Amino acid sequence: MKPAAFEHARPTSLADAVALLRDGARVLAGGQSLGPMLNLRLVQPRMLVQVNRLPELCGVAADDAAVSIGACVTHAAIADGLVPDIGDGVLARVAEGIAYRAVRNRGTIGGSLCHADPAADWVTVLTALDAVVVLHGASGDRELGMADFVCGAFQTALMPGEILRAVRVPRLPSDARWGYEKACRKPGDFAHAMAAVLIRGEQRRAVIGALGGKSLLLEGEVASEAGALHALRSLEPVQRHMQVTVLRRAFAKAEA
Amino acid sequence: MGEGVGQSVHRLEDDRYLRGKGEFIADIRLAGMRDLAFVRSPVAHARILSVRKPEGAVFVAADLLGVQPIVAVSGLPGFKPSVQPVLASDKVRHVGEPIAVCVADSRAEAEDLAASVEVEFEELPAVVDMRAALTSPTKLHDHWDNNVFLETFFEVASERFAQPAPIVVHRKLRTARQCMSPLEGRGVVATWDRRLEQLLLYTSTQLPHIVRTGLAGCLGWDQARIRVVAPDVGGGFGYKGILLQEEVCAAWLARHLGHPVRWIEDRREQLTGNANCREHDYDLTVYAEADGTLIGIDADAVVDAGAYSAYPFSACLEAAQVASILPGPYTMQAYRCRTYSAATNKPPILPYRGVARAGVCFALEVALDAVARQAGLEPHEVRLRNLVAPERMPFENITNKYFDSGDYPQCMRRVIESIDLPAVRRRQAEATGAVRIGFGCAIFCEQAAHGTTVYAGWGIPMVPGFEQAVARMTPDGGLELRVGIQSHGQGLETTLAQVAHEVLGVPIASIRVVHGDTAFTPYSTGTWGSRCAVMAGGAVGTACREMAERIARIGAHLLQAPVDAVRVGGGVVSGPNGSVPIAEVARTWYLRPQDLPVDVSPGGLEVTAGYKPLRDSGTFSYAAHAAVVSVDTELGDIRILDYAICEDGGTLINPTIVDGQVIGGTAQGIGTALYEAMPYDASGQPLGSTLADYLLPGATEVPEPRIDHMATPSPLSMFGQKGIGEGGAIGPPAALANAVNDALAPLGVELTELPITPQRVLAALLAR
């Protein structure tokens, strides 16, 4: 359980990092998912480009509309309140429930999004919050909504040579209500069901994760238990029951 | 505070453990040492057509000249021995089976080499399910007529089962295949000592002497050519009670390559190639009178023994025990049990903490709760109706087990009081929503420190019902104890020192326990089966008593008193007119021989003594566990709300260490009950390869149990102590399954398969 040989580069600027991303090079951020995959030899990159100390990826900016979080900000930093609150402490509470403290200390928000594990908290939560990712490549930045960024299990819209620079999370309007729920066999374990809901007046938005593929986004009327039951009708009954239960509980939290 | 038997002194070994100063296998660094990585079978059942080796140090079976396969024979009639190659060459029989060994300067480079070895397989159908294995046309071992290592049958008055009974409970129950998961995995460092012409093999084992014997057999070397050292060992639980193929390879390579080699098992090897315990399947019928009095048990049990018979405990220890321990601490008139040790394309079964008992206890106690429900009794009431009464002790049960002592009904009552059942019932009555409350209990006997005849009855021939120890005073008055057992977390460096202190009064800080080294210690089968407190404790006690006599003779001379007027204790020899410290006696023996009596025994202050309990039949410790759980009927989540244990381990040598044993075992039992399972697909592939797939209970899943001790001394052991190393792991699957079933009974649901996962709970609820 040792990785196959690879080169290791630690560029000092984002431009240098992007320049290195070719011919089987891979970005290494916190390494909390990539590390085990390397050790299991599930991936055997020619080069790892370590980016988690790049200043361009570690910053946080906030304005009235959104909080922009650098890709290499750790879950622990978010959990500890070192990132401005989008409202109601939502991000800090989500971050605190990710895996274990040791993982949170090194794992990054951008790394989690790029890994795109279907059961990852940020994939579901940031889709529900309608966040936007900023992707940086040789030709500059482009932006994508979360729902377009994650294409499937461990699949994203990142193009070769691109690095996720930051994620911009809209602030929660004061009249918005939020609920997040996940089911894990142990605290810190991967979830087997998860749902995030955002309600604002008549606007309803629900995302169901841990489906083994792309998260399910339900908007408007179908963002409901009945809508989820229908959308998940092909799911195995036990799993569907769990997902719908978790969704109901997320709604209950939002409406509490 | 004293330091002798019964005192909760701090563990002597913890200073080095807690400061990170222990020496575990991976801490050993030898000059020139190179790393090994194994090419392991990626398939469960196949013929090997060819192996293509790359350039470099890669060894296959044909390269290991003179190496014989591992053959572990059970002494039971009808047993079919398997031939387990050290490196497979013609056929592989489970995923993870070693095929080649690669040597390189680092583990990563050795793995690179391993990845470049090409093995061509002709895949065969895999035998995966143990019940299907019994009649499968596919044979694991070509010359066998079926996939059964051994079938056993036992019956007493079974004609009773033909008559009608007021209560008949028939259940099919299953436990999962688990991976024992000590914090430290297996590991080997091997080096050839040219001066002594001897192999020095460091291995993370529970039984260094047995490893030496087994190694010598496989290698065809004299045993004197091999020294086995178990350094600090980070947990065993049975996982390290085995002769390893990796040990044989490392030994051969160290001798033939001229440099030390090491192999450190990683978690992936452990999980994918060593899911090797606990998998039982029961078809069980309990017959009872209307008031819950047991008439008898009729059972058919299969143990999935995996592909090979592992050395030394064989493929059948588990199943052979099932038949003899299924009746538990209950009285009954009739009993019938047929067992099969099924061969499947899975790793060879090993005895895991609470050998066979966790499954047996789960099967019987879940069925007994069903009896209680039919009889309209509380779970503990049906047990109290059937437990052996204290006035019948010593008691021989229906399978001729000799219960040495104890008050089982009292144990049951005490745990019920501890859990406050009436309060639980009130709380349960209020919880009628999505989250239900349930109560469950279980009672069982652990049995430990069995002797020769008992193990021979289970087919294991080489286990003696005795143990030796060496006690040696040093010239400064210190005491060295040398024992052939091996402490791998049990705190034996402390408890054996406490035994010596009890006899001699030497401060435990001046007592060194030497263990885990075949060069320095008497031959022993090692540490397993909860045998050390009784056997090694007895041996140390016996050696120290003899030492006390020798000290007394010298001390009497120094005190100018007759020998029968002095006594040894508290670190001194006391006579009618004064006392002399034991340290002074030691100084005299070693450094001032002119002051010794002229007729002094030249044996001096070094004693090798053996100990045998009064009977072979073992000490019967026992415990009752009681659990309160909540079950979320919408998500299937189970929470343990309260957990109480009443345990009778006889005289406790160190109560804190005993508590640690009980708590650690309980954590593992919770794993068996709710979390741990290695599923296999139809082709024999293990479906978990990391600890994200194979769930172990952690700090958030293990409550602190309330432990109540009864401490009924065993009449058979030196201080009344009983083996209690395993009991904690036996009770939780039964108690927790019963608690979940109690919570779900109003909904008409009962779970009979472990682990009880949220998915299984929900599937059962949705299937209504």
Side-chain angles (χ1 to χ4, degrees), chain B residues 378-379 420-430 438-439 742:
Chain B
E378 280 285 11
D420 193 359
L421 185 57
V424 175
R425 290 297 183 213
R426 284 194 295 274
R427 194 174 170 188
Q428 183 176 35
E430 288 159 13
F439 158 78
D742 184 56

Side-chain angles (χ1 to χ4, degrees), chain B residues 103-306:
Chain B
V103 190
D105 287 338
S106 69
R107 172 64 182 248
E109 289 164 289
E111 288 186 20
D112 289 346
L113 262 182
S116 65
V117 174
E118 290 173 28
V119 187
E120 197 185 344
F121 297 102
E122 178 198 337
E123 281 204 57
L124 301 168
V127 179
V128 180
D129 180 82
M130 58 181 139
R131 287 261 176 210
L134 302 179
T135 53
S136 171
T138 304
K139 306 279 186 293
L140 261 82
H141 300 281
D142 296 344
H143 58 287
W144 290 15
D145 56 354
N146 59 18
N147 294 310
V148 181
F149 282 102
L150 181 71
E151 183 181 333
T152 69
F153 183 69
F154 185 92
E155 63 179 334
V156 174
S158 59
E159 64 281 357
R160 179 67 184 80
F161 298 130
Q163 298 163 30
I167 294 177
V168 178
V169 166
H170 176 229
R171 290 291 183 277
K172 293 184 175 192
L173 306 110
R174 216 172 234 245
T175 61
R177 198 165 200 82
Q178 288 181 235
C179 300
M180 287 181 254
S181 302
L183 274 179
E184 183 204 30
R186 292 167 174 164
V188 181
V189 171
T191 184
W192 183 256
D193 185 319
R194 294 202 231 180
R195 177 180 64 89
L196 297 174
E197 295 181 78
Q198 187 185 53
L199 175 82
L200 172 53
L201 184 92
Y202 297 94
T203 182
S204 190
T205 186
Q206 298 171 226
L207 19 87
H209 291 274
I210 294 285
V211 167
R212 183 194 195 204
T213 301
L215 261 186
C218 283
L219 292 164
W221 303 354
D222 291 345
Q223 295 203 27
R225 289 267 175 261
I226 301 170
R227 174 183 170 198
V228 175
V229 175
D232 280 329
V233 172
F237 314 117
Y239 191 63
K240 298 171 182 177
I242 180 176
L243 171 69
L244 295 171
Q245 294 139 302
E246 292 88 350
E247 287 166 338
V248 180
C249 288
W252 190 94
L253 290 168
R255 183 171 189 180
H256 290 88
L257 297 182
H259 59 73
V261 296
R262 75 165 178 177
W263 167 71
I264 306 295
E265 179 184 61
D266 65 31
R267 257 329 142 185
R268 192 184 196 199
E269 288 178 294
Q270 179 231 350
L271 290 169
T272 57
N274 283 301
N276 54 15
C277 60
R278 286 279 192 264
E279 197 173 7
H280 291 197
D281 184 287
Y282 293 88
D283 191 323
L284 183 84
T285 309
V286 177
Y287 299 83
E289 303 291 357
D291 68 352
T293 303
L294 282 176
I295 297 167
I297 303 169
D298 188 7
D300 167 320
V302 186
V303 173
D304 189 327

Side-chain angles (χ1 to χ4, degrees), chain A residues 54-65:
Chain A
L54 289 180
E56 297 97 318
L57 302 184
C58 294
V60 176
D63 57 28
D64 290 347

Side-chain angles (χ1 to χ4, degrees), chain A residues 1-5 36 39-42 44 100 181-190 192-193 236-239 241-243 245-246 248-249, chain B residues 107-108 111-112 115 266-268 434 632-637 639 674-676 689-690 692 695-698 700-701 755 757-759 762-763 766:
Chain A
M1 229 174 108
K2 304 287 182 194
N39 284 341
L40 292 166
R41 298 195 177 204
L42 295 172
Q44 301 192 15
Y100 308 93
E181 183 79 15
K182 60 177 177 173
C184 310
R185 288 187 58 196
K186 309 195 296 182
D189 184 33
F190 281 102
H192 50 262
E236 185 268 323
V238 167
Q239 209 199 337
H241 188 91
M242 287 178 168
Q243 291 288 12
T245 299
V246 161
R248 185 169 62 244
R249 291 182 183 185
Chain B
R107 172 64 182 248
E111 288 186 20
D112 289 346
D266 65 31
R267 257 329 142 185
R268 192 184 196 199
D632 180 333
T633 56
E634 292 175 343
L635 282 178
D637 280 348
R639 299 261 136 91
L674 303 179
Y675 298 99
E676 295 182 49
S689 60
T690 72
L695 290 192
L696 291 164
T700 47
E701 288 71 53
T757 61
Q759 286 76 9
L762 264 198
L766 294 180

